[in-house]
Amino acid sequence: MAVVLCSWGDAIDGGTEEALTLAHKLAAATGAQLRWLVLGGAAAAAVEVGARYGVDRLDTVQGPGASAGGPDALVATLADYCNQTAPRAVLFNQGAESRVIAARLAGRLGVPVVANVFDVEPAGGGLQVTATAFGGDTHAVYQVAAPLAVLSVSTTAIVAAPAVAPSTVAQHSVALNGAAVAERFAVTAAPQVAEARLEDAQVIVSGGRGLGSKQNFELVKDMAAALGGMWGGSRAIVDDGWIDSSHQVGLTGKITRPALYVAVGISGASQHMAGCSAAKTIIAINKDADASIFRYAHFGVVGDCLEILPELIKAAKA
């Protein structure tokens, strides 16, 4: 019996250590082996990381699925892997792509899937899975009795905790029988984004409709530059066309965990907070003293952001 975390790509994504923390906890509680399946170039760096988090075995794949490929090929590879190795639970570090892959994999295998998971423990012959719901406002507890469960882990709700002692990671190559899979859809154009990722930023300044106009959003960009960080925004201003979706923070945008998150003119809806609630420090600026954002903020300023931001920018540059 094994607990498996699945990863792919050329680098280890942020949040992977948090996902490994939960996977290690479940493996220890059930007496299962902890395996980490890594497809693509990230496998080269996975041994060292895996050892810190108690991984027993690092799995790679021989054949067409070794480099992950597109979503159709990835689902096929993961399904073949699960059919061959029969894990007890399959975990994913939840992101926009992995959340879809997890659901498709569960459908392919005919097993339950739970998203937004932040805790799991054995319960009788099955698992008790705790997940966030309604953008983080509510916790839902599921009893999963199936022999295999697919879990998409919301890593912003977990604190990474290395194993008490590093493990010796055995490296294992799994030969799958599946043939190469042709993708049914081709990406003909993709948005061009900066090399730096919002998910990795240590300082983020985000703006919302409280700024009043697209022109006023330039203050957010100036503030982010003055602090040496990156800028983002709420879904509302993406829908209004102020910024593109690559800078959206929230449940349907980027899930971030910066050291500092400055929310300017953002009301604090649960969908937005799902993307920034893991920040170590949240500062809110809003003229509405009753705005929901102040429930989450460590520091709050009640006032007109168009008056406050220019002064903060001057102070930051000084």
Side-chain angles (χ1 to χ4, degrees):
M1 183 170 67
V3 173
V4 181
L5 175 69
C6 298
S7 302
W8 57 87
D10 293 328
I12 296 174
D13 290 336
T16 298
E17 295 183 13
E18 288 78 5
L20 284 170
T21 298
L22 184 59
H24 181 262
K25 174 187 174 182
L26 177 59
T30 56
Q33 186 181 51
L34 176 56
R35 299 177 187 172
W36 188 6
L37 172 64
V38 183
L39 306 176
V47 174
E48 180 182 351
V49 176
R52 294 203 305 270
Y53 289 88
V55 172
D56 297 305
R57 194 175 92 178
L58 177 68
D59 284 352
T60 54
V61 166
Q62 293 179 13
S67 60
D72 289 338
L74 184 55
V75 171
T77 297
L78 294 176
D80 286 347
Y81 172 86
C82 291
N83 286 328
Q84 183 167 317
T85 61
R88 176 65 185 88
V90 176
L91 282 69
F92 292 85
N93 171 14
Q94 183 167 289
E97 181 182 27
S98 61
R99 183 167 179 158
V100 174
I101 296 297
R104 289 185 59 186
L105 174 64
R108 181 75 60 92
L109 297 174
V111 301
V113 58
V114 183
N116 304 317
V117 174
F118 67 89
D119 194 22
V120 58
E121 56 189 29
L127 299 175
Q128 178 174 287
V129 182
T130 307
T132 61
F134 300 105
D137 282 352
T138 303
H139 292 171
V141 180
Y142 302 92
Q143 301 295 330
V144 181
L148 170 61
V150 177
L151 308 177
S152 184
V153 181
S154 178
T155 58
T156 56
I158 300 171
V159 177
V164 175
S167 60
T168 300
V169 182
Q171 299 187 56
H172 182 71
S173 181
V174 181
L176 301 181
N177 300 322
V181 174
E183 296 296 322
R184 291 172 295 171
F185 298 91
V187 178
T188 58
Q192 300 299 312
V193 298
E195 183 177 349
R197 302 190 326 150
L198 197 61
E199 300 97 311
D200 300 328
Q202 287 301 297
V203 176
I204 298 175
V205 182
S206 281
R209 276 185 176 150
L211 286 158
S213 70
K214 182 177 181 179
Q215 291 70 30
N216 292 335
F217 188 81
E218 295 300 316
L219 290 170
V220 170
K221 296 181 180 180
D222 292 343
M223 184 67 188
L227 293 175
M230 297 183 68
W231 56 269
S234 65
R235 176 172 178 170
I237 66 171
V238 172
D239 292 343
D240 288 348
W242 294 12
I243 62 173
D244 65 75
S245 60
S246 66
H247 288 276
Q248 179 187 331
V249 175
L251 187 63
T252 56
K254 306 297 184 183
I255 305 298
T256 68
R257 48 174 63 243
L260 174 62
Y261 189 84
V262 183
V264 182
I266 292 175
S267 64
S270 59
Q271 290 82 359
H272 180 80
M273 299 313 300
C276 63
S277 60
K280 292 180 180 178
T281 302
I282 298 176
I283 297 176
I285 303 172
N286 200 298
K287 64 182 179 181
D288 180 5
D290 296 322
S292 297
I293 189 69
F294 291 119
R295 291 166 45 203
Y296 305 94
H298 300 88
F299 302 96
V301 180
V302 178
D304 188 342
C305 54
L306 300 183
E307 297 177 359
I308 294 170
L309 271 185
E311 298 303 319
L312 289 179
I313 292 169
K314 290 179 185 176
K317 290 181 176 179

